Amino acid sequence: KNQVEQSPQSLIILEGKNCTLQCNYTVSPFSNLRWYKQDTGRGPVSLTIMTFSENTKSNGRYTATLDADTKQSSLHITASQLSDSASYICVVSQGSSASKIIFGSGTRLSIRP
Amino acid sequence: DGGITQSPKYLFRKEGQNVTLSCEQNLNHDAMYWYRQDPGQGLRLIYYSQIVNDFQKGDIAEGYSVSREKKESFPLTVTSAQKNPTAFYLCASTPRGQGYGYTFGSGTRLTVV
């Protein structure tokens, strides 16, 4: 069964600290993996996209990694800010077929001052 | 600026009523999607449309209906047949298939009263 599992479900860290969010998937055939940031009551916004051949991609203080062999991805946030408080959603595309997008349930990140 | 506009932001429905959620995009995207988001769960696909006058059921289409009379517009009707409609609804679009990444609207929160 095609699944995307994220961990932890929720995380609280102090402002200025780093953190890493995990995404494991069993989607096949794999097309790409995206990380989205969703602020409360808003739509998700794309942070990064990674294809099979990419291992690392950065977007400011966000760095995503992908290990296609173990089917794992991580999102590392450096020097966290209060505005990083949001849900982070891992999304895996299966091939290029429509409706073949699998969403993880997200990690709820809270940054405390 | 190009984007997706969802309205209203908040919507209240009485038992037995049909309500329609609006989704308009000016990105010239071919494909549009409706997702439902419940707490602690990943986004679930309700309906999608890849071209005007054509749409397909997603994973949870029962109790919902859509139309795609214009490229820019993809309204979702939540009918009285939907037994548990309280949720956050997200509209999204892509230039072509889902593998090309979503642009999301800001969402509509529907509550049954």
Side-chain angles (χ1 to χ4, degrees), chain B residues 9-99:
Chain B
K9 188 168 180 61
Y10 299 97
L11 186 58
F12 298 91
R13 191 193 93 168
K14 294 182 179 179
E15 296 282 351
Q17 266 187 344
N18 292 353
V19 292
T20 297
L21 285 59
S22 171
C23 178
E24 303 276 334
Q25 54 100 357
N26 60 4
L27 300 165
N28 199 33
H29 285 176
D30 292 312
M32 298 185 74
Y33 310 82
W34 275 105
Y35 282 90
R36 169 178 173 143
Q37 187 175 36
D38 294 284
Q41 295 190 38
L43 275 67
R44 292 183 289 169
L45 181 64
I46 304 173
Y47 268 99
Y48 66 99
S49 168
Q50 292 183 281
I51 195 169
V52 174
N53 292 322
D54 185 55
F55 48 83
Q56 308 295 328
K57 291 182 178 180
D59 300 318
I60 56 166
E62 185 175 351
Y64 300 97
S65 66
V66 293
S67 63
R68 187 87 186 275
E69 297 176 1
K70 298 186 300 181
K71 187 175 185 179
E72 301 79 19
S73 178
F74 191 41
L76 174 74
T77 297
V78 184
T79 75
S80 57
Q82 171 49 238
K83 299 306 178 188
N84 184 24
T86 295
F88 189 56
Y89 291 86
L90 285 162
C91 180
S93 70
T94 65
R96 285 165 284 179
Q98 289 186 341

Side-chain angles (χ1 to χ4, degrees), chain A residues 84-101:
Chain A
D84 294 330
S85 293
S87 289
Y88 292 84
I89 304 173
C90 177
V91 182
V92 181
S93 298
Q94 180 186 34
S96 59
S97 303
S99 83
K100 295 300 182 183
I101 296 287

